[in-house]
Amino acid sequence: MSTHSTTQADPIKFAYWVPNVSGGLVVSKIEQRTSWDIDYNIKLAQLAEENGFEYALSQIRFTAGYGAEFQHEPVAFSHALLAATKKLKVIAALLPGPWNPAVAAKQLATIDQLTNGRIAVNIVSGWFKGEFTAIGEHWLEHDERYRRSEEFIRALKGIWTTDNFSFSGDFYRFNNYTLKPKPLQQNPHPEIFQGGSSRAARDMASRVSDWYFTNGNTVEGIKAQVDDIRAKAAANNHSVKVGVNAFIIARDTEEEARAVLAEIIEKADPEAVNAFGDAVKQAGKASPEGEGNWAKSSFEDLVQYNDGFKTNLIGTPLQIAERIVALKAAGVDLVLSAFLHFHEEVEYFGKKVLPLIRELESAEKQRKSA
């Protein structure tokens, strides 16, 4: 069983999306005081770790889409953020196909050595055929992509934790390979994240991943996913923690927060939103279930491309704190957050929202021990 165990007694954790691609985190022409350049991102990483964020997730993208005209490569960018921070852990996204597990294991082990054990990885199986075609990568069908990702993860773990590693899979093979130096993190290895809502994605997480990211959803919808994946993981003698995506709009009054959401939707870029919606729904239909992550997403949901509005972290600090504690009660271990203006809103969240969450968690802990 993985030693990255989870307990609801632990404080809920927070991550933020690194804006290492242009266009911000909503497909809207509303003003976003967020930049994809390195100076902005270094300051953001420093603000985040000062304001209670434990993780940052860098994005992987090779081609422009929904306003993301420019994209920085996530592993190199993650290293730059780690070099400028002291305790933040950065999760670098990797795409099996372009990346080989031997190269990735070596690259990440070196970064782990250079940053005192603060790198993690998010394995992205991919949904965008056009991107693979554009860079000359062979496109696999839905379940085959997850089979490849699972082999990729098993290979990473083997290389990071054992000498004389041998592996014989359908996609990757290793013969008596020993990586030196290994990552500093040996409890048992750098954390491995993944996303996806299909059956194949959940099955993979329940077998090999330390963390499972899901799109935004209601508390009830998220609880159903958590219950399913935890039951499956238990049957596999494995444990997996869960992170949920959320676009956070915290303001002093609910009216202010709802007005910001309304303006984001009103100024949405319909061409880009519909193009994204068509692509992800087509990808979902190719899965065995014929659905996928975005099957029930409306135009308004898709303006935040991981359904972040559905999690409903929009309102006053107290409203948001109460909803986050409800997510925790449903089994969520981490909130993966995005903001309209990252610098200002990460600070606001750390100063106004996070203390309320910790108060509510403490009160709940005392109630249970009474």
Side-chain angles (χ1 to χ4, degrees), residues 57-121:
L57 172 64
S58 56
Q59 306 167 61
I60 175 67
R61 200 165 301 160
F62 282 91
T63 62
Y66 38 97
E69 185 178 4
F70 303 103
Q71 319 97 28
H72 283 303
E73 191 281 316
V75 178
F77 206 76
S78 296
H79 188 202
L81 299 183
L82 288 164
T85 51
K86 295 178 180 174
K87 54 187 180 180
L88 189 72
K89 185 173 277 191
V90 182
I91 310 160
L94 288 183
L95 197 57
W99 268 275
N100 171 287
V103 175
K106 185 77 174 169
Q107 191 177 27
L108 295 167
T110 297
I111 294 175
D112 206 52
Q113 289 276 340
L114 296 176
T115 61
N116 197 28
R118 291 189 291 126
I119 190 72
V121 62

Side-chain angles (χ1 to χ4, degrees), residues 253-254 312-324 356:
T253 68
E254 183 175 7
N312 193 28
L313 300 188
I314 298 161
T316 67
L318 181 58
Q319 288 173 322
I320 291 172
E322 289 173 339
R323 290 167 190 160
I324 287 174
L356 295 175

Side-chain angles (χ1 to χ4, degrees), residues 275-295:
F276 172 68
D278 291 343
V280 294
K281 290 187 178 184
Q282 186 178 7
K285 286 177 183 171
S287 70
E289 304 91 323
E291 289 190 342
N293 255 344
W294 293 271

